[in-house]
Amino acid sequence: MSEKMGNNRHDNDPADGIDDILSAARRAPAPGPDTLPPALRARLLDDALAQIPAATVPQTGARSRPDAGQVGLLAGLLDRLGQVLAGGAFGLPGASTIAVAGVAGFWLGFAPPDAAAGLMDYFWQGAATIDPALAEWGTGTDIWAADDALLALVEDL
Amino acid sequence: MFEPDPDSDEALMVRYAGGDRLAARALVERLSPRVYRLALRLLADQAEAEDVTQEAMLRLWRIAGDWQGGGAQPSTWLHRVTVNLATDRLRRRRSVALDAVEEPADPGPGAVDVLIGADRQQALDAALALLPERQRAAVVLRHLEGFTNPEIAATLGIGVEAVESLTARGKRRLAELLSGRRAELGFDR
């Protein structure tokens, strides 16, 4: 390395001499190993592997999309499932119909619209014609308090 | 549609996001040594450099699934994160003084060059610590890590002209800080 910092031609501009220090620092062994400390490498690998399940599907075009055959196979399986559930003879259009009906039923169970409430009232009024005690179920009565009436109704059937 | 080179960092990112463990290992081996070295240059502290490296790589894993191909290279993104993390830490410890460099204690004849080399490095680190963060990052990237000006511009998120200005001012300031120590550092031998 030329020790130019002491040369007179650099004395006028102090920035000239710094090149030697910088180039020496660049050539010298880095302030630490060029390779990673083993413990750090182990931590990095642990982090990388731990984060893999959390990684989502990238948005680059490099990830292959499912091809038409795969899509067709999935659709076919769903339709087949729909036919099986419908007994194969009632002509239900497919599994999507069943799925929609299931979701709608689930929702009605939790948040029935007003029309559904009216329908339930009609049901309980009809039940009251069989056994007046059953009509209480539709008005907030504890259902377990009326289990005797229910059992009696079932036995009558 | 963007299709990365199968051997590129971007392709490894895609494979990693898809759950490829080999890609994870390859990215660690390929990207992290330079991140660590850069952090070490900027911070001059091994423990802090390791922490910054781990944090930067962790952020890389977390954005792997959302990586947009065809834009910045993962390495450029990673260097930018590294510089930012290191800068945050530097701002927390701005009290490093050039005079804090320790004197070698009674060196033997054969050890003089080694000690001078180590002392130069310590003096340089101490002087770098006194530069404004942007200047320091630009000088380290340009003169110690060998980045090109456009690469530095991408890493720091500034223009090439700003990089040139930062490196020039940084070098000048370093020279001023070290000008009184030429003989001590062995440049006048």
Side-chain angles (χ1 to χ4, degrees), chain A residues 1 3-7 10-11 13-15 18-26 28-37 40-41 43-45 47-49 51-52 55-63 65, chain B residues 1-4 14 16-21 24-25 28-29 32-33 36-37 40-41 46 50 53-54 57-58 61-62 65-69 120-121 124 142-144 146 171-172 174-175 178 182 186-188:
Chain A
M1 176 179 71
E3 309 292 338
K4 289 188 284 188
M5 258 193 110
N7 291 353
H10 295 296
D11 288 347
D13 185 355
I18 198 65
D19 284 335
D20 282 328
I21 294 180
L22 291 171
S23 61
R26 187 173 169 181
D34 266 346
T35 55
L36 290 175
L40 174 60
R41 174 185 281 107
R43 293 207 307 272
L44 297 178
L45 283 173
D47 285 348
L49 297 178
Q51 291 294 320
I52 280 184
T56 56
V57 177
Q59 296 177 4
T60 64
R63 174 175 288 276
R65 294 165 175 267
Chain B
M1 184 166 63
F2 172 71
E3 290 287 351
V14 171
Y16 174 81
D20 188 334
R21 298 167 69 90
R25 181 176 294 275
V28 168
E29 300 296 342
S32 60
Y36 172 65
R37 198 171 62 238
L40 204 50
R41 297 278 197 195
Q46 182 171 340
E50 289 188 11
T53 303
Q54 189 171 7
M57 295 301 292
L58 194 57
W61 309 136
R62 287 174 178 161
D66 297 322
W67 187 262
Q68 298 290 330
R120 284 177 183 172
Q121 184 62 58
L124 179 60
R142 179 73 182 88
H143 295 290
L144 299 181
K171 275 179 64 178
R172 190 176 301 275
L174 276 181
L178 294 171
R182 292 179 185 181
F187 285 100
D188 287 343

Side-chain angles (χ1 to χ4, degrees), chain A residues 74-101:
Chain A
L74 180 61
L77 286 171
L78 288 174
D79 280 344
R80 179 76 175 169
L81 176 63
Q83 289 170 7
V84 168
L85 292 175
F90 299 104
L92 286 182
S96 59
T97 302
I98 296 172
V100 169

Side-chain angles (χ1 to χ4, degrees), chain A residues 120-121 123-129 131-141 146 149:
Chain A
M120 292 304 291
D121 289 340
F123 171 77
W124 291 120
Q125 287 167 8
T129 63
D131 186 338
L134 291 180
E136 298 299 319
W137 288 18
T139 57
T141 303

